[in-house]
Amino acid sequence: MLIPLILSGGSGTRLWPVSRRNLPKQFLSLAGRGTLFQQTINRTRLLPNVGSPIVVASEDHRFLAAEQLLESGIEGATIVLEPMGRNTAPAIALGALQAIERDPDALLLVLPADHLIGETDSFIQGVNLALPAARDGSLVTFGIRPDRPETGFGYIRRGDAIGEGAFRVAQFVEKPALATAESYVADGHYDWNSGMFLFKASRYLEELEQHAPEMLQTVRDAHASAKIDLDFVRIDRDKFAKVPDDSIDYAVMEKTQRAVVIPVKCDWSDIGSWSALWLAGARDPQGNVREGDTIAIDTRNSLLRSHDRHLLATVGVDDLIVVSTPDATLVAHRNAAQDVKRVVDELKAAGRTEHSLHRVVRRPWGSYDSLESADRFQVKRIVVKPGAALSLQKHHHRAEHWIVVSGTAEVTCDDKVFLLGENQSTYIPLGSVHRLRNPGKMPLEIIEVQSGSYLGEDDIVRFQDVYGRT
């Protein structure tokens, strides 16, 4: 059985302010139809004899992954939750152990969740070419035929041909300087290292046991202690913390004698920066990629992206990245796009939240948007999905007023349970045990006005929660 293993633990800091820790780039619609995660999942459905995917995701993103799988119509997927990031080699080991439980001879197609592929047919053809070598015990990686010298990717040098479209790996090369990258493109035997792989799950574990035995043993221990929680496989936190941090390239691929590369040309991008998204986007006659409400006057070779209802206008600029969101705006030269992560680092150092949270925060029950706040009050727009409910909870430091804008609200307040319709409101006193639920078939929208001495999200005492949060 061919099982897609989707690695979905990245944070995408170079795509700030759109990609943030709680909503990273793989779960965003950045190019094409659907999110990058959904596009990756949907490509695998075109492969022959393919099983349900295994997704390795961060605990913080578990509901995002589950919801987007549901939206894609994927059933039977397994979502393995990493308690913390330990790089690709342990994440793939978790997926391999999970796959072997389904099928001891399972083939794993390892795909990062945040890559963009424009030519799906070429990608499928490359996977089909890789299947014989993978079945014979090789560890296959997919190289991307370079169309330009690129310093942001590692490279793979092809060795001898071993079959149709397949070559031994002669060398893995780190990200080069520009002159070296130019020589690689001119040489014609170098491909970009895509980070996509195909091999037997059992073979990968054998190679890991040979080259990184401590890693394999600690991953096995953590996986053996996993617990099933709703639709998720929760890996033991304390045991997984002991797992060494390393990539599959360093831990296995650069050491194995069975590495094979399949070069493909599939209009691939890892969407690793705003400049990469500009390259992958549909450019107008002036070379601009534009999304949202934008006006571009005497503007060339720029990426303009407005993610709120505000107009974004530029006049007389070239080669810029301008990205506007409800709570942050980025302006950068296209050549400096790789340095956007420095903004994220500075936000973290300053103790700010814009690196991790959007103004609109998604929750498993829906979302909330912080419209206005001051020292002792905050106004939120809360949207609850049909049939969903917030936790039964109380607050020590704030009271709340709820006004129903649309839909029907079921309100629990201490020992009372009652319904509110449009334009009706209620008051939740400080310290009251309360819950908001949407009993209807349409989204419930309310305006919440909080008032009190402390309005932080950590002032929540949960008594019941259908999503397993504490």
Side-chain angles (χ1 to χ4, degrees):
M1 181 190 297
L2 177 63
I3 299 178
L5 172 58
I6 312 301
L7 304 181
S8 185
S11 58
T13 55
R14 291 180 180 87
L15 289 180
W16 184 88
V18 175
S19 177
R20 306 192 189 184
R21 181 173 60 83
N22 280 18
L23 186 61
K25 65 176 179 175
Q26 60 267 31
F27 298 113
L28 296 169
S29 296
L30 294 172
R33 185 175 180 180
T35 68
L36 296 175
F37 175 83
Q38 290 172 321
Q39 291 179 36
T40 302
I41 291 286
N42 291 335
R43 277 193 296 272
T44 68
R45 312 319 294 165
L46 303 176
L47 292 163
N49 304 315
V50 68
S52 298
I54 296 171
V55 177
V56 178
S58 163
E59 283 189 7
D60 293 339
H61 306 147
R62 62 193 186 279
F63 296 114
L64 288 170
E67 182 176 12
Q68 294 196 6
L69 284 166
L70 183 64
E71 289 174 355
S72 299
I74 303 299
E75 297 181 354
T78 302
I79 304 177
V80 181
L81 302 181
E82 288 183 298
M84 69 282 292
R86 282 294 181 264
N87 218 317
T88 53
I92 295 170
L94 286 174
L97 291 169
Q98 199 69 36
I100 286 173
E101 291 184 358
R102 286 196 211 169
D103 178 3
D105 296 319
L107 286 167
L108 279 186
L109 177 61
V110 180
L111 302 173
D114 54 1
H115 289 185
L116 184 67
I117 291 178
E119 298 176 12
T120 300
D121 290 345
S122 297
F123 167 75
I124 298 299
Q125 181 182 9
V127 174
N128 286 328
L129 286 174
L131 286 170
R135 290 191 181 108
D136 287 342
S138 294
L139 278 66
V140 182
T141 185
F142 296 91
I144 306 299
R145 291 284 176 88
D147 57 7
R148 65 186 184 276
E150 176 60 64
T151 60
F153 303 144
Y155 286 72
I156 301 170
R157 183 164 64 87
R158 279 175 260 138
D160 296 334
I162 62 168
E164 183 184 0
F167 301 84
R168 294 288 181 197
V169 172
Q171 184 184 10
F172 287 91
V173 183
E174 296 289 342
K175 297 176 183 178
L178 180 59
T180 305
E182 290 172 342
S183 71
Y184 290 164
V185 175
D187 181 278
H189 291 87
Y190 288 82
D191 302 304
W192 292 333
N193 187 350
S194 71
M196 301 186 292
F197 306 91
L198 178 66
F199 39 64
K200 284 185 176 180
S202 58
R203 278 289 298 121
Y204 176 72
L205 296 177
E206 289 170 5
E207 291 282 347
L208 203 60
E209 186 167 30
Q210 179 180 351
H211 302 297
E214 179 187 356
M215 178 185 295
L216 178 59
Q217 187 56 55
T218 50
V219 171
R220 282 190 189 277
D221 291 344
H223 184 262
S225 300
K227 296 180 179 179
I228 305 300
D229 177 14
L230 299 176
D231 297 326
F232 310 112
V233 178
R234 283 188 178 274
I235 302 302
D236 185 275
R237 173 175 290 273
D238 292 337
K239 292 184 178 179
F240 198 68
K242 299 175 183 177
V243 175
D245 183 316
D246 207 354
S247 71
I248 181 177
D249 286 339
Y250 288 139
V252 174
M253 296 304 293
E254 293 186 2
K255 298 173 182 176
T256 181
Q257 300 300 309
R258 300 295 301 276
V260 170
V261 60
I262 304 288
V264 293
K265 189 172 184 179
C266 58
D267 194 17
W268 170 91
S269 174
D270 70 344
I271 310 296
S273 67
W274 286 115
S275 59
L277 196 61
W278 176 81
L279 281 171
R283 296 189 286 278
D284 66 17
Q286 288 72 44
N288 300 313
V289 174
R290 296 165 57 185
E291 181 169 328
D293 192 3
T294 63
I295 292 176
I297 299 173
D298 294 332
T299 298
R300 289 170 291 277
N301 301 321
S302 296
L303 185 145
L304 310 178
R305 197 174 179 109
S306 176
H307 286 259
D308 54 23
R309 297 183 181 89
H310 296 138
L311 171 65
L312 169 60
T314 57
V315 181
V317 299
D318 299 338
D319 302 312
L320 286 187
I321 304 293
V322 185
V323 181
S324 174
T325 69
D327 63 342
T329 299
L330 169 71
V331 180
H333 195 280
R334 254 193 323 110
N335 293 339
Q338 292 286 348
D339 292 330
V340 171
K341 64 178 181 179
R342 293 169 57 186
V343 178
V344 175
D345 292 339
E346 188 156 330
L347 290 170
K348 290 179 181 177
R352 300 181 60 140
T353 61
E354 290 94 337
H355 71 282
S356 60
L357 296 175
H358 285 273
R359 201 184 80 176
V360 177
V361 178
R362 287 168 174 80
R363 290 289 186 254
W365 45 260
S367 65
Y368 67 83
D369 183 359
S370 297
L371 303 177
E372 186 66 57
S373 64
D375 288 342
R376 294 187 62 87
F377 79 90
Q378 182 169 213
V379 181
K380 290 183 176 181
R381 173 179 175 264
I382 295 176
V383 178
V384 185
K385 300 174 187 176
L390 284 67
S391 59
L392 185 66
Q393 59 184 252
K394 73 174 182 179
H395 310 295
H396 290 300
H397 302 288
R398 71 176 186 251
E400 297 173 346
H401 296 259
W402 294 348
I403 305 105
V404 177
V405 176
S406 62
T408 300
E410 180 189 278
V411 178
T412 299
C413 186
D414 292 326
D415 57 350
K416 297 178 181 178
V417 179
F418 52 95
L419 296 177
L420 293 178
E422 292 184 13
N423 301 318
Q424 293 183 314
S425 63
T426 190
Y427 172 64
I428 308 296
L430 184 152
S432 291
V433 176
H434 61 280
R435 190 205 304 267
L436 177 66
R437 190 174 82 86
N438 180 0
K441 296 182 179 180
M442 300 294 291
L444 164 65
E445 180 178 344
I446 75 166
I447 298 298
E448 177 184 83
V449 180
Q450 303 175 355
S451 59
S453 60
Y454 179 71
L455 306 173
E457 286 301 308
D458 54 349
D459 180 23
I460 296 178
V461 179
R462 288 191 175 95
F463 299 97
Q464 297 176 15
D465 186 71
V466 296
Y467 307 106
R469 299 170 300 167
T470 57

